[in-house]
Every structure is written in structure tokens, then in C-alpha cells.
Amino acid sequence: MIHPEPAAPWALAFVNAIPHGVVVGVHLPAGPDPVEEAVLTRLVPAERDAAVALRGFRQVQFVGGRLAVAAAFAELGTRRMAVLADEHGTPLFPEGLVGSISHKQDLAVALLARGSVAVGVDLEDTDRPRPGVPERVLTPRELEAVRALPESRQWVDTVVRFSVKESIYKAIHPTLRRYVGFGEVEVWPGTDGWDRVDPVTPELTTFQFEARHCWIGMRVLTTVRAEAR
Ligand SMILES: CC(C)(COP(=O)(O)OP(=O)(O)OC[C@H]1O[C@@H](n2cnc3c(N)ncnc32)[C@H](O)[C@@H]1OP(=O)(O)O)[C@@H](O)C(=O)NCCC(=O)NCCS
């Protein structure tokens, strides 16, 4: 269920229970000004220390993501613990929990679930088609399928596929620990919100993927669960 709130900076935008976990959105302030101490103190100390080392929008996004994580911990009824990053930027969740983070300039989202099966979340705008992106992020088969759609649907379909691939990356990079190219999986968006994922490279067939997309206004939110076989 979505609970809209006023778009005050740092306020909850939504808390939503979805098949891959709890997803929380937090509104971000409009500018890159340093985050006020009153907001930083809402983080656990180790996260606050990480945040003060950051500058500009990077600091704003980091803090927003961790506040979204905090609200997701509360929603699951779990004791809040620090979620720091490894050397690749992967957020490290405590034993027994998995999660992922994404942000846009005005919104940070976090996905949190119980268990040990990796998850990924990604948020993308769909309003402005960007030339060259389909050719960069889609395989020839995907491109052919997209180009067969009515022109008005082509960009949105591309963004859903792109976003699922970003969610996949976040879910599997911590295991593979290598760059995963956009041509290594194919994504087939479903009209019911469930998206089929076909691995292309043999290494990716070692995962069983479950992918979903949903809409937050003009934005698409994708979540992926990637279970190592
Ligand atoms: C890492 C990447 C997925 C981040 O996506 P993005 O759209 O740039 O940024 P988002 O705001 O959605 O996500 C940022 C969050 O991703 C998470 N993240 C960063 N690197 C990560 C990694 N290696 N593994 C998992 N999560 C990661 C972090 O939580 C980060 O937020 P934080 O630093 O505040 O904690 C993207 O930049 C990238 O490098 N993609 C590689 C190519 C790819 O996606 N291939 C698809 C293969 S199927």
C-alpha cells in the first residue's frame, strides 16, 4: 500500500510491501547543501561518519538512502544496524537481511527483505527519451522487439529493461565481483509487472532470477531477486 506524504525533505514518500520485500521512499531536498546535523543524527553513528565525509548531492543521496533503509528496518520490526559500503559501493546488510538502494535527485529508495537471497532495486525516469541508450543497453533481439512496438511505447519498454538490468547488477555484483555487461541478460517485460529474465552468458545461468516492475508516477521501480543455483 502506498502512503503519500507531503514532499518535505527527508519525509517518507511511501512504504510499500511488494513480493521482493519492503520498499521505502524518502523525499530529498532540492539542492546539494550540506545535510543538517539534525538529519545526520537520525543515522547510526558509523553511517553518520561515512556521510560527513561526502559532499554535495552525493551526501544528500547517501543520507536519503540510509534513512529509507532505517524506515525499512522499522517496517520489518528489525533492530536498526549500520549499512556501510564495501570498496565497490555495495551496501552491506546485517546477517539475515538483504537489501538494495537507488536514488534520483528528489527521491531515495531502499528495498529490504529477510533471508539470504540477493535483491536489487532501481528507480528510473521514463519521461525523456535519450538517443543512443537503447543501442547501448539492449541486445539485438531486445532491440528488435522494442522496435516492433508502437513508437509511443518504445522508450518506456526500453527503460523497464534497462532498470531491471541495473537491479540485476546490484543483486549479483556482490557475488560475481566483476563488471556485468548489459548484453549478458535479456529482459522481457510482462504486462502483469513480472518480467522474464533470460541469461545470455553461461555464468549468469547459475542464477535463478525473479524480476518485477511497478510505477511511481512517471518513474519505473524495478526489483530483482537473484538466487544462486
Ligand atoms: C552500480 C550501478 C548499478 C548503480 O546504478 P545507478 O543508476 O548509477 O545509481 P542508483 O542511484 O540506482 O544506485 C546507487 C546505489 O547502488 C548501490 N550500489 C553501488 N554499487 C553497487 C554494487 N557494486 N553492487 C550493489 N549495489 C551497488 C549503492 O547502494 C548506491 O547507493 P549508495 O552509494 O547511496 O549506497 C551502475 O552505476 C552501474 O555501474 N551499472 C553497471 C552496468 C550494469 O548495470 N549492467 C547490467 C548488467 S545485467
Side-chain angles (χ1 to χ4, degrees):
M1 185 60 72
I2 290 182
H3 305 288
E5 296 232 347
W10 312 116
L12 278 184
F14 57 83
V15 178
N16 199 356
I18 61 171
H20 294 151
V22 169
V23 65
V24 174
V26 167
H27 293 294
L28 301 181
D33 297 338
V35 178
E36 315 88 78
E37 189 55 34
V39 177
L40 291 174
T41 54
R42 290 165 57 189
L43 303 178
V44 289
E47 290 176 350
R48 186 195 167 281
D49 292 348
V52 295
L54 302 172
R55 296 287 171 266
F57 276 118
R58 182 66 201 107
Q59 186 189 50
V60 169
Q61 291 183 333
F62 178 87
V63 172
R66 265 52 187 189
L67 291 179
V69 165
F73 270 81
E75 190 65 18
L76 287 186
T78 306
R79 189 165 73 90
R80 173 80 168 98
M81 288 166 81
V83 174
L84 299 175
D86 72 4
E87 70 276 19
H88 300 287
T90 312
L92 303 169
F93 289 84
E95 185 83 26
L97 291 171
V98 289
S100 183
I101 296 168
S102 182
H103 10 63
K104 286 281 165 263
Q105 195 157 329
D106 59 341
L107 188 71
V109 297
L111 173 69
L112 188 70
R114 293 189 195 283
S116 56
V117 177
V119 293
V121 69
D122 187 62
L123 184 65
E124 295 295 336
D125 291 314
T126 61
D127 49 352
R128 277 173 292 111
R130 282 181 285 150
V133 169
E135 294 75 9
R136 193 170 64 79
V137 303
L138 302 179
T139 67
R141 267 169 27 111
E142 290 177 307
L143 256 184
E144 191 185 334
V146 167
R147 286 176 178 154
L149 294 172
E151 207 177 328
S152 60
R153 294 218 16 86
Q154 291 185 9
W155 177 244
V156 165
D157 194 78
T158 298
V159 175
V160 171
R161 293 171 194 257
F162 169 72
S163 183
V164 168
K165 291 183 187 197
E166 295 263 276
S167 288
I168 288 174
Y169 187 88
K170 291 177 188 175
I172 68 176
H173 181 264
T175 303
L176 295 184
R177 303 186 81 77
R178 68 161 176 87
Y179 182 79
V180 182
F182 287 99
E184 297 195 45
V185 291
E186 291 182 334
V187 177
W188 305 98
T191 49
D192 59 356
W194 290 99
D195 308 314
R196 199 178 86 229
V197 175
D198 292 339
V200 173
T201 47
E203 200 178 8
L204 270 66
T205 62
T206 60
F207 291 94
Q208 179 142 3
F209 294 105
E210 209 180 76
R212 271 191 71 75
H213 71 270
C214 64
W215 299 95
I216 302 173
M218 291 294 284
R219 283 179 171 154
V220 66
L221 180 106
T222 61
T223 59
V224 162
R225 207 168 168 268
E227 186 161 15
R229 290 184 210 259

